[in-house]
Amino acid sequence: MAESGEGLGTVPEHERILQEIESTDTACVGPTLRSVYDDQPNAHKKFMEKLDACIRNHDKEIEKMCNFHHQGFVDAITELLKVRADAEKLKVQVTDTNRRFQDAGKEVIVQTEDIIRCRIQQRNITTVVEKLQLCLPVLEMYSKLKEQMSAKRYYSALKTMEQLENVYFPRVSQYRFCQLMVENLPKLREDIKEISMSDLKDFLESIRKHSDKIGETAMKQAQQQKTFSVTLQIKQNNVKFGKNMYINDRIPEESSEIVLKHTFEEEEENEEEVLTVQDLVDFSPVYRCLHIYSVLGDEEAFENYYRKQRKKQARLVLQPQSNMHETVDGYRRYFTQIVGFFVVEDHILHVTQGLVTRAYTDELWNMALSKIIAVLRAHSSYCTDPDLVLELKNLIVIFADTLQGYGFPVNRLFDLLFEIRDQYNETLLKKWAGVFRDIFEEDNYSPIPIVNEEEYKIVISKFPFQDPDLEKSFPKKFPMSQSVPHIYIQVKEFIYASLKFSESLHRSSTEIDDMLRKSTNLLLTRTLCSCLLNLIRKPHIGLTELVQIIINTTHLEQACKYLEDFITNITNISQETVHTTRLYGLSTFKDARHAAEGEIYTKLNQKIDEFVQLADYDWTMSEPDGRASGYLMDLINFLRSIFQVFTHLPGKVAQTACMSACQHLSTSLMQMLLDSELKQISMGAVQQFNLDVIQCELFASSEPVPGFQGDTLQLAFIDLRQLLDLFMVWDWSTYLADYGQPASKYLRVNPNTALTLLEKMKDTSKKNNIFAQFRKNDRDKQKLIETVVKQLRSLVNGAACARGEMFLPTEATTGVQLLPSSGRSQYRILTVETRQTR
């Protein structure tokens, strides 16, 4: 049943396939037959059976059709056989007629051929004339092209080529000579490109060589324009104010020199014809090459090539010479080349369309400006001559003004000038440091003598000194030395030099005032102060010179207000302005004075040490000489003479020096006693030493420098006096009893000091008194020394007996009892028994 159902399903499918085979083209039978084999495994057999049945049906239908038309076919064949004989007759007649016509038309054919040949020749002639008329303009234009090439009229030649290609060649494109011409035109174009490019290269090389001349001319014109404007402004200011705003006649002259000075030396005067960049450079190669490449449709390539080459030239121009910083000519050549380069680029920008653009020139200028600033910053750092730095500044200003006139931004150059201004100030400071050193070396450090009013006026014209007493009678002396007016003049010269750099910086008067004050402050606080300190520390500067230096600094400090007025008159900026910088002369000269005062103290102490080193004590003498030592009297006399010189110093300085000398002398004498190399001291040596200290006290009480109150100066020797009194009186009981109390008689005596000196005397006593052990008094004295030494050691070590008694023999007592005081950690001495020593 399943097989029969399956068979019934395939029969309609086979019928459909057979219908498709009968109705479709043979090219599509393949896919149809393939479907028979793809459906069922045995379907093709059934399909073949179906196909055979279909073929048999069609054969039967064909057979029926043939049987139906067979009689008609037989009738048609019979009729054709009847017409056959008539057709043969007709053929013979037609052939005969044709022969007769051929014979009759031979002459006509000959004549016709002649006519045809003439007509062809006539047509050919007409055609040739027409073609020649068509070709002649082409040949004429090509000949014109050759003439233009020979005459180097390349732009016209390119236009002729365009006409040939667009108008003439299409008319004669079928001719061989036209093909040759067409093939030759690209070669001619390449020749024109090469020739124009060669001209452009020559132009680029020419402007590279002449860029310095172009830049020099441009900068000269900018400087002339600026000079005219500034001169006119100065005249207007003079008319407006009726006088200049400077403190004397020198600054207007120098300012005019700065303004009117030309950086370049002019070969002729103002009558010289003003040259432009077009007068110096022939730009026709650029225009010609640009037009040629525009016509050739390769304008972009030309622009890229031109910009690339110019960038290379820019890098070469921006590359400085290694020794550029040595002379101003090196900087001038560097600037003129750069200006020439950008003047050419600016001209190209304005006379051509698209060859260079504003964006391109701005990019090129920014690149160049960065390089220029780096080069100037590097090379200017090697400049140590302020005049060269000033020339460089003037060149930079002219350079910036010139390029600013062509539309290039130059603010960064003026910012660079502020850096160079700092360097210029540094070079000025170094130069003036040498000037100050020379002034100090040439100074005699003595007051300036004047014998008449004329000399007085000469000094007053140099330095603002006011003292009515000096104007009354002559001869007299100024309190300061020659270096003071010289330094004052040089400070003003420094302000002049600093002002020169501020010119033409497009800054306000307030900013210029601030610059001048800051640079002057640097001169005072760093250069002058440093020179003064170095001068003060020089070994050959003595006490007299130091005293004069202190006086000089006082007058220089007082002159600072005149310097401030001088700067105010220059800049016309009032000192009452909120942001006005003040001069630091007060602190500068005060520091120098303090250093000089300290050096006075040091040198005075050194001189004291020199005298003390001359001391030659016999530390083992038994009796004193009865008079003070010679070295000490010489020292006192020296101090008296020196303190007489100090009368010109401020009171406190002289008093401090005197007190310092006395304290140093006291310390030196104390150290002499306590010297570790000194092993023995006799009582006679102590008495001799006491005589020297008495002389020191007498010197202190004589008031060598006025102004001390009471016995203030004598207190410098109080430590020595109490120590010597202790040993001279031998009052150890009082010292030990009152030690540590505010009211102690020997409050300034240190136990360690007393112990050191006592041990030296103890050793001397043992060695000098060989037979002391046989004398009872000597034995008692020795016991006393040993006992005091023990007590002093206890005080030094901070250990004392809390309880107990100790017998202390003396010359006046046979014994003392040392008991602790109630409620205090001090000791008191109780006399137990006294007796007269024989």
Coordinates of all heavy atoms in Angstrom, one line a residue, residues 425-464:
N425 N 72.6 94.6 33.7 CA 72.9 95.1 35.0 C 74.0 94.3 35.7 O 74.8 94.9 36.5 CB 71.6 95.0 35.9 CG 70.6 96.1 35.5 OD1 70.9 97.1 34.9 ND2 69.3 95.8 35.7
E426 N 74.0 93.0 35.5 CA 75.1 92.2 36.0 C 76.5 92.7 35.5 O 77.4 92.8 36.3 CB 74.9 90.7 35.8 CG 73.7 90.1 36.5 CD 73.9 90.1 38.0 OE1 75.1 90.0 38.4 OE2 72.9 90.3 38.7
T427 N 76.5 92.9 34.2 CA 77.8 93.4 33.6 C 78.2 94.7 34.2 O 79.4 95.0 34.4 CB 77.7 93.4 32.1 OG1 76.7 94.2 31.7 CG2 77.5 92.0 31.6
L428 N 77.2 95.6 34.3 CA 77.4 96.9 34.9 C 77.9 96.8 36.4 O 78.9 97.5 36.8 CB 76.1 97.8 34.9 CG 75.7 98.3 33.6 CD1 74.4 99.2 33.7 CD2 76.8 99.2 32.9
L429 N 77.3 95.9 37.1 CA 77.7 95.7 38.5 C 79.2 95.2 38.5 O 79.9 95.6 39.4 CB 76.8 94.7 39.2 CG 75.3 95.2 39.4 CD1 74.5 94.0 40.0 CD2 75.3 96.4 40.3
K430 N 79.5 94.3 37.6 CA 80.9 93.8 37.6 C 81.9 94.9 37.2 O 83.0 95.0 37.8 CB 81.0 92.6 36.6 CG 80.3 91.4 37.1 CD 80.5 90.3 36.0 CE 79.7 89.0 36.5 NZ 79.8 87.9 35.5
K431 N 81.5 95.7 36.2 CA 82.3 96.8 35.8 C 82.5 97.8 37.0 O 83.6 98.3 37.3 CB 81.7 97.5 34.6 CG 82.5 98.7 34.1 CD 81.9 99.3 32.9 CE 82.7 100.6 32.4 NZ 82.0 101.2 31.2
W432 N 81.4 98.2 37.6 CA 81.4 99.1 38.7 C 82.1 98.6 39.9 O 82.7 99.3 40.8 CB 80.1 99.7 39.0 CG 79.8 101.0 38.5 CD1 79.9 102.2 39.1 CD2 79.6 101.4 37.1 NE1 79.7 103.3 38.2 CE2 79.5 102.8 37.0 CE3 79.4 100.6 35.9 CZ2 79.2 103.4 35.8 CZ3 79.1 101.3 34.7 CH2 79.0 102.6 34.7
A433 N 82.1 97.3 40.1 CA 82.9 96.7 41.2 C 84.4 97.0 41.0 O 85.1 97.3 42.0 CB 82.6 95.2 41.2
G434 N 84.8 96.8 39.8 CA 86.2 97.2 39.5 C 86.5 98.7 39.7 O 87.5 99.1 40.2
V435 N 85.5 99.5 39.3 CA 85.6 101.0 39.5 C 85.7 101.3 41.0 O 86.6 102.1 41.4 CB 84.5 101.7 38.9 CG1 84.5 103.2 39.2 CG2 84.5 101.6 37.3
F436 N 84.9 100.7 41.8 CA 84.9 100.9 43.2 C 86.2 100.4 43.8 O 86.8 101.1 44.7 CB 83.7 100.2 43.9 CG 82.4 100.8 43.6 CD1 81.2 100.1 43.6 CD2 82.3 102.2 43.4 CE1 80.0 100.7 43.3 CE2 81.1 102.8 43.1 CZ 79.9 102.0 43.0
R437 N 86.7 99.3 43.4 CA 88.0 98.8 43.9 C 89.1 99.8 43.6 O 90.0 100.0 44.4 CB 88.3 97.4 43.3 CG 87.4 96.3 43.9 CD 88.0 94.9 43.6 NE 87.9 94.7 42.2 CZ 86.9 94.0 41.6 NH1 85.9 93.6 42.3 NH2 86.9 93.8 40.3
D438 N 89.1 100.3 42.4 CA 90.1 101.3 42.0 C 90.0 102.5 42.9 O 91.1 103.1 43.3 CB 90.0 101.6 40.5 CG 90.3 100.4 39.6 OD1 91.0 99.5 40.1 OD2 89.9 100.5 38.5
I439 N 88.8 103.0 43.1 CA 88.6 104.1 44.0 C 89.2 103.9 45.4 O 89.9 104.7 46.0 CB 87.2 104.5 44.0 CG1 86.7 105.1 42.6 CG2 86.9 105.6 45.1 CD1 85.2 105.3 42.6
F440 N 88.9 102.7 45.9 CA 89.3 102.4 47.3 C 90.9 102.2 47.3 O 91.5 102.6 48.3 CB 88.7 101.1 47.8 CG 87.2 101.3 48.0 CD1 86.3 100.3 47.7 CD2 86.7 102.5 48.6 CE1 84.9 100.5 48.0 CE2 85.4 102.6 48.9 CZ 84.5 101.6 48.6
E441 N 91.4 101.7 46.2 CA 92.9 101.5 46.2 C 93.6 102.9 46.1 O 94.7 103.1 46.7 CB 93.3 100.7 45.0 CG 92.9 99.2 45.1 CD 93.7 98.5 46.2 OE1 94.8 99.0 46.5 OE2 93.1 97.5 46.7
E442 N 93.0 103.8 45.4 CA 93.6 105.1 45.2 C 93.4 106.1 46.4 O 94.0 107.2 46.5 CB 93.1 105.8 43.9 CG 93.5 105.0 42.7 CD 92.8 105.6 41.4 OE1 92.1 106.5 41.6 OE2 93.1 105.0 40.3
D443 N 92.4 105.8 47.3 CA 92.1 106.7 48.4 C 93.2 106.6 49.4 O 93.8 105.6 49.7 CB 90.8 106.2 49.0 CG 90.2 107.3 49.9 OD1 90.7 108.4 49.9 OD2 89.2 107.0 50.6
N444 N 93.4 107.8 50.0 CA 94.4 107.9 51.1 C 93.8 107.8 52.5 O 94.5 107.9 53.5 CB 95.2 109.2 51.0 CG 94.3 110.4 51.0 OD1 93.1 110.3 51.2 ND2 94.8 111.6 50.8
Y445 N 92.5 107.7 52.6 CA 91.8 107.5 53.8 C 92.1 108.6 54.8 O 92.4 108.3 56.0 CB 92.0 106.1 54.4 CG 91.5 105.1 53.5 CD1 92.4 104.4 52.6 CD2 90.1 104.8 53.4 CE1 91.9 103.4 51.7 CE2 89.7 103.8 52.5 CZ 90.6 103.1 51.7 OH 90.1 102.2 50.8
S446 N 92.1 109.8 54.4 CA 92.3 110.9 55.2 C 91.3 112.0 54.8 O 90.9 112.1 53.6 CB 93.7 111.5 55.2 OG 94.0 111.9 53.8
P447 N 90.9 112.9 55.7 CA 89.9 113.9 55.3 C 90.4 114.8 54.2 O 91.6 115.0 54.0 CB 89.7 114.7 56.6 CG 90.1 113.8 57.7 CD 91.2 112.9 57.1
I448 N 89.4 115.3 53.4 CA 89.8 116.1 52.2 C 90.2 117.5 52.7 O 89.3 118.2 53.3 CB 88.6 116.2 51.2 CG1 88.2 114.7 50.8 CG2 89.0 117.0 50.0 CD1 86.9 114.7 49.9
P449 N 91.4 117.9 52.4 CA 91.8 119.3 52.8 C 91.3 120.3 51.7 O 91.3 120.1 50.5 CB 93.3 119.2 52.8 CG 93.6 118.2 51.8 CD 92.5 117.2 51.8
I450 N 90.9 121.5 52.2 CA 90.5 122.6 51.3 C 91.2 123.8 51.9 O 91.2 124.1 53.1 CB 89.0 122.8 51.3 CG1 88.4 122.8 52.7 CG2 88.3 121.7 50.5 CD1 86.9 123.2 52.7
V451 N 91.7 124.6 50.9 CA 92.5 125.8 51.3 C 91.8 127.1 51.0 O 92.1 128.1 51.5 CB 93.9 125.8 50.7 CG1 94.7 124.6 51.2 CG2 93.8 125.7 49.2
N452 N 90.8 127.0 50.0 CA 90.1 128.2 49.6 C 88.7 127.8 49.2 O 88.3 126.6 49.1 CB 90.8 128.9 48.5 CG 91.2 128.0 47.3 OD1 90.3 127.2 46.9 ND2 92.4 128.1 46.8
E453 N 87.9 128.8 48.9 CA 86.5 128.6 48.5 C 86.4 127.9 47.2 O 85.4 127.1 47.0 CB 85.8 130.0 48.5 CG 84.3 129.9 48.2 CD 83.6 131.2 48.3 OE1 84.3 132.2 48.4 OE2 82.4 131.3 48.1
E454 N 87.3 128.1 46.3 CA 87.2 127.4 45.0 C 87.3 125.9 45.1 O 86.5 125.2 44.5 CB 88.3 127.9 44.1 CG 88.3 127.3 42.7 CD 89.4 127.9 41.8 OE1 90.2 128.8 42.3 OE2 89.5 127.4 40.7
E455 N 88.2 125.4 46.0 CA 88.3 124.0 46.2 C 87.1 123.5 46.9 O 86.6 122.4 46.7 CB 89.6 123.7 47.0 CG 90.9 124.0 46.3 CD 92.1 123.6 47.1 OE1 91.8 123.1 48.3 OE2 93.2 123.7 46.7
Y456 N 86.5 124.3 47.8 CA 85.3 123.9 48.5 C 84.2 123.7 47.5 O 83.4 122.7 47.6 CB 85.0 125.0 49.5 CG 83.6 124.8 50.2 CD1 83.5 123.9 51.2 CD2 82.5 125.5 49.7 CE1 82.2 123.7 51.8 CE2 81.3 125.4 50.3 CZ 81.1 124.4 51.4 OH 79.9 124.3 52.0
K457 N 84.0 124.7 46.5 CA 83.0 124.6 45.6 C 83.2 123.3 44.6 O 82.2 122.7 44.2 CB 82.9 125.8 44.7 CG 82.4 127.0 45.5 CD 82.3 128.3 44.6 CE 81.8 129.5 45.4 NZ 81.7 130.7 44.6
I458 N 84.4 123.0 44.3 CA 84.7 121.8 43.5 C 84.2 120.6 44.2 O 83.5 119.7 43.6 CB 86.2 121.8 43.2 CG1 86.6 122.9 42.3 CG2 86.5 120.4 42.5 CD1 88.1 123.0 42.0
V459 N 84.5 120.5 45.5 CA 84.0 119.3 46.2 C 82.5 119.2 46.3 O 81.9 118.2 46.2 CB 84.7 119.2 47.6 CG1 84.2 118.0 48.4 CG2 86.2 119.1 47.5
I460 N 81.9 120.4 46.6 CA 80.5 120.5 46.7 C 79.8 120.2 45.4 O 78.7 119.6 45.4 CB 80.0 121.9 47.3 CG1 80.5 122.1 48.7 CG2 78.5 122.1 47.2 CD1 80.0 121.1 49.7
S461 N 80.4 120.5 44.3 CA 79.7 120.2 43.0 C 79.7 118.7 42.7 O 78.9 118.2 42.0 CB 80.5 120.9 41.9 OG 81.8 120.4 41.8
K462 N 80.6 118.0 43.4 CA 80.7 116.5 43.2 C 79.9 115.8 44.2 O 79.4 114.7 43.9 CB 82.2 116.0 43.3 CG 83.1 116.6 42.2 CD 84.5 116.1 42.4 CE 85.4 116.7 41.3 NZ 86.8 116.2 41.5
F463 N 79.8 116.3 45.4 CA 79.1 115.6 46.5 C 78.2 116.5 47.3 O 78.7 117.6 47.7 CB 80.1 114.9 47.4 CG 79.5 114.1 48.5 CD1 79.0 112.8 48.2 CD2 79.5 114.6 49.8 CE1 78.5 112.1 49.2 CE2 78.9 113.8 50.8 CZ 78.4 112.5 50.5
P464 N 77.0 116.2 47.6 CA 76.0 117.1 48.3 C 76.3 117.1 49.8 O 75.7 116.3 50.6 CB 74.7 116.5 48.0 CG 74.9 115.0 47.8 CD 76.3 114.9 47.1

